Amino acid sequence: MVWLLFSVSGSRPRLEDFPPRIVEHPSDHIVSKGEPATLNCKAEGRPTPIIEWYKDGERVETDKDDPRSHRMLLPSGSLFFLRIVHGRRSKPDEGIYICVARNYLGESVSRNASLEVAILRDDFRQAPSDVVVAAGEPAVMECIPPRGHPEPTISWKKENVRISDKDERITIRGGKLMISNTRKMDAGMYVCVATNMVGERDSEPAQLVVFERPTFVRRPINQVVLADDVVDFQCEVQGDPMPTARWRKEEGELPRGRYEIRSDNTLRISRVTAEDEGTYTCITENSVGKSEASGSLSVHVPPQLVTRPRDQIVVQGRTVTFQCETKGNPPPAVFWQKEGSQILLFPSQPPQTIGRFSVSPSGELTIIDVQMGDSGYYMCQAISVAGSILAKALLEVEDATSDRVPPIIRRGPSNQTLAVDSVVQMQCHVTGNPLPSTHWLKDGQRLVGSDPRISILDNGTLQITHLQGTDSGVYVCVATSSTGETTWSGYLEVQEKGSLVHMHPAEPNLVPGPPSKPLVTDVSKNSVTLTWQPHPQSGNTQVSSYIIEAFSQSAGSTWQTVADNVKMEKHTVIGLNPNTVYLFIIRALNSYGLSYPSPISEPVRTQDVSPTRQGVDHRQVQRELGEVVVQLQKPIILTSSTAQVTWTVDRQAQFIQGYRVMYRPKSSVWVVQDVKSPTERNAILVDLKRGTEYEIKIRPYFDEFQGMDSDILLVRTPEEVPSAPPQSVAVVTVGTSNSTNISITWEPPPVEHQNGLIQEYRIWCLGNESRYHINRTVDGTVHSTVIRGLVPGILYRVEVAAATSAGFGVKSQPITIQISKYSSSINTGDSVSLTEQITDVVKQPAFIAGIGGACWVILMCFSVWIYCRRKKRKELSHYTGE
């Protein structure tokens, strides 16, 4: 903008005059519509300057120019607005203003000053919404105010009361209201307030709902009760909304039929038993949370005898063990006392007298090197806080030499399959000194003389006449004397007449003769090597293998098989106990059976080189063994049933005899395989189940001491196809009498033959020709299906097979089925079916009385002619598509 300089024509400026100077500049203003406003402007100069105003470069008309103008020029030079005029389309007062002061010496221009009109819209850009929180959680309400100038500030009201952020839990920032750690009292209606110089705007109210998580007023507590009592576990809860409650028992189910959940959530259990012991948990929850509280239940059960001690007769110098297995809760303390003695024998107590008496943790009393003075009654007593119990048994000691061995069964019962009503003889030839007595068990139960069909011959042979199906089972011959007990079992299967019957030959010359007396050669701490010769006359067939049995007084009063399937006449028996006397016998085996036993070997004592028996401190052994760290490597799958396990030892110790490889299917019983060498670091696991996940760990050991287990690793054997077909396959027709649908049902293959997870089943319905075949596949969880639309008159074979991820396994035996071509009316069928139907008619008495034999021949010929015509037409329809 160009401003003109004026001068007084024909005159000179006076010395006291000076040009204008702005001494008060106008400032920016924000004002409300309709409100008055003033833009200040003061100037100095001589003569007094004249002031004018300009808006956006245009001169402003004031009341000086138009008395009706709402703008007034004040004597001071300020611009006064009676009211600010502002509309949506016209904004005459809003803009940039300057004031100009002039006299004849010049002019002065002020700084720019803006005049803006304040606004505040009605509609919130974001109104707060309802919020639901749980007590203790933070709550956030958001609000974006209406558009306005200047930008409105935000405040909040609850129930028409302004909220102060002086409460440390409350923060108001950027339009957000934040409440940390909400309380029930924070619930209510909230309003967002937008404020600027125009005024205030209130949002629509929003509700804050504060729910309370479930809390316990009364919790279940740990309880101890007696068996058959009633127990209550309380569970009183509160919360908003009101919580629900339910109960569970950890690692088990609530006792069915004996528990009740009452209206106040109390769990009541009646007639409690030891099986009810455990932890009971009350779970309470509502829409905002969940809480749990537990109480344990202990049930005291008086001591009970599981295995009573029995009277025994032993030879002087032997070892005798009295059983006294007890149960109760808490487990009772067991101790022994000889009648007339004041000495009490407790489990794990230091050896009594000369160390011949000991009580195991399970309550067994063992007396080694029995003396004549040990005869008498021994009392087992069990006691706990719930009660006590006592039992006693008599010990009789015989004066005899200590080298007698248990009875030997020279030839025992063999497995036999016989027909109903036949006679069976099961041998049991025994020898021993003194002469043993024999009795028989069937399926674990002693045979008594109540059945006249059953008799025991003088030589111990069991004879059963008129065999019945119920006679099938496992028969055990038991030979007993004062020196011990020996058993031999055989299985008898009785089948219906006409079934294939297997009998072992009775000719004794077909089995091998007894081998020679075994000779002992190499002897170590845990093994001995035996050699022998076969009998010169070993029967008509060659010996296939040998069986080795051993006896040791310290290992029990019976013969035990320590090796079988031995192919050579020399064998090393392993796994023996150190410093122990053993006797051995050998039997030969061929396809006809077992030989008589060989003569008994000379006694042999295994070596005693264990450091723990040479004065080494047991505590040192346990301490060093406990510091051994075994690192199990990832197992390698060799086949579907074998795996190789390897490991490393981070810290070696002198006290390691070997390693115990322990493995099991998950949540099953551990199977133990010992590696009896401290230098070996691998083992092969065999006979694993296919398609099964195993847990494996390694444990170092030394004699009876054991170190720390390695970490458990998992390995899964690969699946194979099922090795057995589905079981119980059945096929029946379904629907009406003329239905062409069949239902097929089955059960999975036996678990041991599934070889993995059964994923699906395949059903084959095979007709005479391939065009009649129907196949079906169903999921592995399904055990039945319906096949529709079989063709009448076609002979079908139905087979079912199971499949794992490895494929389909063995098919079931075929089941044949044929849908009849006829129902209530005669349909096209074969000549046999048609003839059978006509025959049914002509057999009626009325028909026979009215028609003679000639008519019968004519009718039969006519039926065959109809059949041929229909069959011809049917065959043509297959080719023509009709």
Side-chain angles (χ1 to χ4, degrees), residues 300-422:
H300 282 176
V301 179
Q304 302 173 34
L305 281 173
V306 178
T307 305
R308 287 181 169 272
R310 60 181 178 87
D311 297 343
Q312 297 193 57
I313 303 174
V314 298
V315 175
Q316 184 176 353
R318 301 280 183 169
T319 296
V320 66
T321 298
F322 287 101
Q323 303 284 338
C324 188
E325 184 181 354
T326 63
K327 67 179 182 179
N329 196 26
V334 177
F335 62 93
W336 285 82
Q337 182 180 18
K338 184 182 180 185
E339 196 170 53
S341 171
Q342 300 300 317
I343 298 176
L344 303 181
L345 303 173
F346 292 93
S348 305
Q349 192 174 343
Q352 301 294 317
T353 60
I354 57 173
R356 297 186 299 109
F357 296 80
S358 63
V359 180
S360 72
S362 61
E364 295 178 349
L365 170 64
T366 299
I367 309 173
I368 63 174
D369 189 19
V370 173
Q371 304 298 316
M372 294 298 294
D374 296 331
S375 297
Y377 281 98
Y378 289 82
M379 295 177 293
C380 170
Q381 301 178 65
I383 187 170
S384 74
V385 295
S388 64
I389 195 170
L390 179 145
K392 66 179 183 178
L394 175 64
L395 172 63
E396 297 182 59
V397 181
E398 287 185 346
D399 184 11
T401 59
S402 61
D403 59 351
R404 292 192 297 170
V405 297
I408 296 177
I409 299 179
R410 301 185 68 197
R411 178 161 296 148
S414 58
N415 298 336
Q416 299 186 54
T417 303
L418 297 172
V420 170
D421 287 332
S422 59

Side-chain angles (χ1 to χ4, degrees), residues 15 39 116 121 177 222 253 288 374 376 409 418 480 528 595 622 687 701 709 747 795 808 849:
L15 292 175
L39 293 175
E116 298 178 295
R121 304 292 185 200
L177 171 63
N222 299 339
E253 295 182 353
V288 291
D374 296 331
I409 299 179
L418 297 172
T480 307
V528 299
S595 71
Q622 188 65 71
D687 295 331
Y701 72 89
D709 293 345
E747 293 297 330
L795 184 65
F808 284 98

Side-chain angles (χ1 to χ4, degrees), residues 107-138:
E107 68 180 10
S108 178
V109 180
S110 71
R111 291 193 293 268
N112 292 351
S114 65
L115 177 64
E116 298 178 295
V117 178
I119 61 171
L120 181 59
R121 304 292 185 200
D122 293 328
D123 297 330
F124 279 74
R125 283 173 282 177
Q126 179 180 334
S129 56
D130 294 342
V131 175
V132 178
V133 296
E137 290 184 348

Side-chain angles (χ1 to χ4, degrees), residues 269-289:
I269 304 175
S270 304
R271 306 186 309 280
V272 295
T273 67
E275 288 72 24
D276 297 334
E277 279 199 333
T279 300
Y280 292 83
T281 302
C282 178
I283 305 103
T284 177
E285 57 185 326
N286 61 12
S287 57
V288 291

